[in-house]
Amino acid sequence: MSTLIIGASSKPDRYAYEAARRLLAIGETVYPLGYRAGKTAGELDILTSIPADLAVDSITLYLRPELQEEYFEQIVALAPKRIIFNPGTENPAFQQRLQAALPQAEIMAACTLVLINLDQY
């Protein structure tokens, strides 16, 4: 399974960093995407753009609502099975647009870290 983290961070005190660390620990392939290049958990390079050939099962958002719109077309093109809006990223209008564009996707407001802890990821 593979996950794209939108809003990845090189700062260990950020939830996106911890999500990368825990996803790696459960064997997930992780693609961290952020505004600034750097390293995140597992010494993964933070991508500053989505590779054209990327395929992912899940996308987990750690990006404030006002910054999400610029990723709409890219998210739709990836056609993930699941999109997780973590606490603080909830955006009902954006979630509805994504659901209309990706009717097969599970779009949820949840916490990636909690899902991992409950073995529901």
Side-chain angles (χ1 to χ4, degrees):
M1 301 285 286
S2 60
T3 298
L4 174 66
I5 299 174
I6 299 179
S9 176
S10 62
K11 298 177 182 176
D13 62 330
R14 298 291 175 109
Y15 289 115
Y17 186 100
E18 183 63 16
R21 188 183 74 73
R22 291 196 197 174
L23 287 166
L24 288 168
I26 64 169
E28 193 81 5
T29 301
V30 176
Y31 301 98
L33 176 70
Y35 283 111
R36 289 181 282 285
K39 300 275 187 187
T40 193
E43 288 301 306
L44 293 175
D45 289 322
I46 296 175
L47 307 168
T48 56
S49 63
I50 299 174
D53 61 345
L54 186 66
V56 295
D57 300 295
S58 298
I59 294 175
T60 185
L61 292 166
Y62 288 93
L63 194 65
R64 357 186 254 270
E66 62 269 18
L67 300 175
Q68 295 168 5
E69 186 62 39
E70 69 183 88
Y71 293 100
F72 179 79
E73 295 297 328
Q74 294 168 309
I75 291 171
V76 171
L78 288 170
K81 296 175 187 165
R82 174 175 54 180
I83 302 169
I84 302 167
F85 284 78
N86 285 277
T89 68
E90 299 92 342
N91 185 345
F94 191 63
Q95 288 171 252
Q96 289 174 354
R97 285 188 63 218
L98 286 170
Q99 193 68 78
L102 298 165
Q104 78 288 356
E106 178 183 13
I107 297 175
M108 59 191 340
C111 177
T112 297
L113 301 175
V114 171
L115 292 173
I116 293 167
N117 285 343
L118 297 174
D119 291 325
Q120 295 178 356
Y121 196 87

Short mmCIF file of all heavy atoms in Angstrom, two decimals, residues 5 7-9 11-23 40 60-62 86-87 111-113:
data_model
loop_
_atom_site.label_atom_id
_atom_site.label_comp_id
_atom_site.label_asym_id
_atom_site.label_seq_id
_atom_site.Cartn_x
_atom_site.Cartn_y
_atom_site.Cartn_z
N ILE A 5 1.46 11.97 1.39
CA ILE A 5 1.21 12.93 2.47
C ILE A 5 1.32 14.31 1.86
O ILE A 5 2.41 14.74 1.47
CB ILE A 5 2.22 12.78 3.62
CG1 ILE A 5 2.11 11.39 4.24
CG2 ILE A 5 1.99 13.88 4.66
CD1 ILE A 5 3.17 11.13 5.31
N GLY A 7 1.42 18.07 2.52
CA GLY A 7 1.70 18.94 3.66
C GLY A 7 2.79 18.34 4.53
O GLY A 7 2.86 18.61 5.73
N ALA A 8 3.66 17.55 3.92
CA ALA A 8 4.76 16.91 4.66
C ALA A 8 5.69 17.96 5.26
O ALA A 8 5.80 19.07 4.75
CB ALA A 8 5.55 15.99 3.72
N SER A 9 6.35 17.56 6.33
CA SER A 9 7.24 18.49 7.04
C SER A 9 8.54 17.81 7.42
O SER A 9 8.58 16.60 7.68
CB SER A 9 6.55 18.99 8.31
OG SER A 9 7.41 19.82 9.06
N LYS A 11 10.02 18.88 10.11
CA LYS A 11 10.06 19.17 11.55
C LYS A 11 9.47 18.00 12.33
O LYS A 11 8.27 17.70 12.20
CB LYS A 11 9.31 20.45 11.85
CG LYS A 11 9.90 21.66 11.16
CD LYS A 11 9.08 22.90 11.41
CE LYS A 11 9.70 24.08 10.65
NZ LYS A 11 8.89 25.28 10.80
N PRO A 12 10.28 17.35 13.19
CA PRO A 12 9.81 16.18 13.92
C PRO A 12 8.62 16.43 14.84
O PRO A 12 7.91 15.48 15.19
CB PRO A 12 11.03 15.76 14.74
CG PRO A 12 12.20 16.31 14.01
CD PRO A 12 11.71 17.60 13.39
N ASP A 13 8.36 17.68 15.21
CA ASP A 13 7.23 17.96 16.09
C ASP A 13 5.90 18.13 15.35
O ASP A 13 4.87 18.36 15.97
CB ASP A 13 7.51 19.20 16.95
CG ASP A 13 7.70 20.46 16.12
OD1 ASP A 13 8.17 20.37 14.96
OD2 ASP A 13 7.38 21.55 16.63
N ARG A 14 5.91 18.00 14.04
CA ARG A 14 4.68 18.15 13.24
C ARG A 14 3.99 16.80 13.06
O ARG A 14 4.62 15.76 12.94
CB ARG A 14 5.01 18.73 11.85
CG ARG A 14 5.62 20.10 11.87
CD ARG A 14 4.59 21.13 12.32
NE ARG A 14 5.16 22.43 12.47
CZ ARG A 14 4.91 23.46 11.66
NH1 ARG A 14 4.10 23.32 10.64
NH2 ARG A 14 5.48 24.62 11.89
N TYR A 15 2.65 16.86 13.01
CA TYR A 15 1.88 15.63 12.85
C TYR A 15 2.17 14.94 11.51
O TYR A 15 2.16 13.71 11.44
CB TYR A 15 0.38 15.90 12.98
CG TYR A 15 -0.03 16.23 14.40
CD1 TYR A 15 -0.52 17.48 14.73
CD2 TYR A 15 0.08 15.28 15.41
CE1 TYR A 15 -0.90 17.78 16.03
CE2 TYR A 15 -0.28 15.57 16.71
CZ TYR A 15 -0.77 16.82 17.02
OH TYR A 15 -1.14 17.12 18.30
N ALA A 16 2.43 15.71 10.48
CA ALA A 16 2.73 15.10 9.17
C ALA A 16 4.02 14.29 9.24
O ALA A 16 4.13 13.23 8.61
CB ALA A 16 2.84 16.18 8.11
N TYR A 17 4.99 14.77 9.99
CA TYR A 17 6.25 14.03 10.17
C TYR A 17 5.98 12.73 10.91
O TYR A 17 6.45 11.66 10.52
CB TYR A 17 7.23 14.90 10.95
CG TYR A 17 8.62 14.33 11.08
CD1 TYR A 17 9.65 14.77 10.26
CD2 TYR A 17 8.92 13.36 12.04
CE1 TYR A 17 10.94 14.25 10.38
CE2 TYR A 17 10.20 12.84 12.17
CZ TYR A 17 11.20 13.29 11.33
OH TYR A 17 12.47 12.78 11.45
N GLU A 18 5.20 12.82 11.98
CA GLU A 18 4.87 11.63 12.77
C GLU A 18 4.06 10.63 11.94
O GLU A 18 4.24 9.42 12.05
CB GLU A 18 4.12 12.02 14.04
CG GLU A 18 3.79 10.87 14.96
CD GLU A 18 5.01 10.15 15.54
OE1 GLU A 18 6.14 10.69 15.49
OE2 GLU A 18 4.83 9.03 16.04
N ALA A 19 3.17 11.13 11.10
CA ALA A 19 2.40 10.25 10.22
C ALA A 19 3.34 9.49 9.28
O ALA A 19 3.20 8.28 9.09
CB ALA A 19 1.37 11.04 9.43
N ALA A 20 4.31 10.18 8.71
CA ALA A 20 5.27 9.51 7.83
C ALA A 20 6.03 8.43 8.60
O ALA A 20 6.19 7.30 8.12
CB ALA A 20 6.24 10.53 7.23
N ARG A 21 6.46 8.76 9.80
CA ARG A 21 7.21 7.81 10.62
C ARG A 21 6.37 6.56 10.92
O ARG A 21 6.83 5.42 10.74
CB ARG A 21 7.65 8.47 11.93
CG ARG A 21 8.60 7.62 12.76
CD ARG A 21 8.95 8.28 14.08
NE ARG A 21 7.86 8.24 15.04
CZ ARG A 21 7.45 7.14 15.70
NH1 ARG A 21 8.04 5.99 15.48
NH2 ARG A 21 6.46 7.21 16.56
N ARG A 22 5.13 6.77 11.32
CA ARG A 22 4.27 5.63 11.68
C ARG A 22 3.83 4.83 10.45
O ARG A 22 3.69 3.61 10.53
CB ARG A 22 3.07 6.10 12.47
CG ARG A 22 3.47 6.60 13.85
CD ARG A 22 2.29 6.69 14.74
NE ARG A 22 2.55 7.51 15.91
CZ ARG A 22 1.64 7.83 16.79
NH1 ARG A 22 0.40 7.42 16.64
NH2 ARG A 22 1.95 8.57 17.83
N LEU A 23 3.58 5.51 9.34
CA LEU A 23 3.22 4.79 8.12
C LEU A 23 4.37 3.89 7.67
O LEU A 23 4.16 2.74 7.28
CB LEU A 23 2.82 5.77 7.02
CG LEU A 23 1.45 6.43 7.21
CD1 LEU A 23 1.30 7.61 6.25
CD2 LEU A 23 0.32 5.43 7.02
N THR A 40 12.09 14.10 5.67
CA THR A 40 11.11 13.81 6.70
C THR A 40 11.47 12.47 7.34
O THR A 40 12.57 11.96 7.11
CB THR A 40 9.67 13.84 6.15
OG1 THR A 40 8.75 13.85 7.24
CG2 THR A 40 9.37 12.71 5.20
N THR A 60 -3.28 11.51 2.46
CA THR A 60 -3.60 12.07 3.76
C THR A 60 -3.16 13.53 3.77
O THR A 60 -2.03 13.84 3.39
CB THR A 60 -3.00 11.24 4.92
OG1 THR A 60 -3.46 11.78 6.16
CG2 THR A 60 -1.49 11.18 4.89
N LEU A 61 -4.09 14.40 4.11
CA LEU A 61 -3.85 15.84 4.04
C LEU A 61 -3.46 16.43 5.39
O LEU A 61 -4.14 16.21 6.39
CB LEU A 61 -5.10 16.57 3.54
CG LEU A 61 -5.49 16.31 2.09
CD1 LEU A 61 -6.90 16.79 1.83
CD2 LEU A 61 -4.53 16.99 1.16
N TYR A 62 -2.38 17.20 5.36
CA TYR A 62 -1.93 18.01 6.50
C TYR A 62 -1.71 19.42 5.99
O TYR A 62 -0.65 20.00 6.14
CB TYR A 62 -0.63 17.44 7.09
CG TYR A 62 -0.85 16.16 7.84
CD1 TYR A 62 -0.70 14.93 7.21
CD2 TYR A 62 -1.23 16.18 9.17
CE1 TYR A 62 -0.90 13.75 7.90
CE2 TYR A 62 -1.45 15.00 9.87
CZ TYR A 62 -1.28 13.79 9.22
OH TYR A 62 -1.50 12.62 9.91
N ASN A 86 -7.19 15.25 7.85
CA ASN A 86 -6.81 15.20 9.25
C ASN A 86 -7.37 16.39 10.01
O ASN A 86 -7.76 17.39 9.40
CB ASN A 86 -5.28 15.15 9.36
CG ASN A 86 -4.75 13.77 8.98
OD1 ASN A 86 -4.74 12.88 9.81
ND2 ASN A 86 -4.36 13.61 7.72
N PRO A 87 -7.42 16.31 11.36
CA PRO A 87 -7.94 17.44 12.14
C PRO A 87 -7.26 18.76 11.75
O PRO A 87 -6.05 18.84 11.61
CB PRO A 87 -7.60 17.04 13.58
CG PRO A 87 -7.63 15.55 13.55
CD PRO A 87 -7.03 15.19 12.21
N CYS A 111 -8.21 11.06 11.68
CA CYS A 111 -6.82 11.29 12.04
C CYS A 111 -6.00 10.06 11.62
O CYS A 111 -6.26 8.95 12.11
CB CYS A 111 -6.69 11.53 13.54
SG CYS A 111 -4.98 11.73 14.08
N THR A 112 -5.07 10.26 10.75
CA THR A 112 -4.22 9.17 10.27
C THR A 112 -3.54 8.47 11.44
O THR A 112 -3.47 7.23 11.47
CB THR A 112 -3.18 9.70 9.27
OG1 THR A 112 -3.89 10.22 8.13
CG2 THR A 112 -2.22 8.63 8.83
N LEU A 113 -3.05 9.23 12.40
CA LEU A 113 -2.36 8.64 13.55
C LEU A 113 -3.28 7.74 14.36
O LEU A 113 -2.89 6.66 14.80
CB LEU A 113 -1.74 9.72 14.42
CG LEU A 113 -0.73 10.64 13.73
CD1 LEU A 113 -0.28 11.74 14.67
CD2 LEU A 113 0.44 9.85 13.18
#
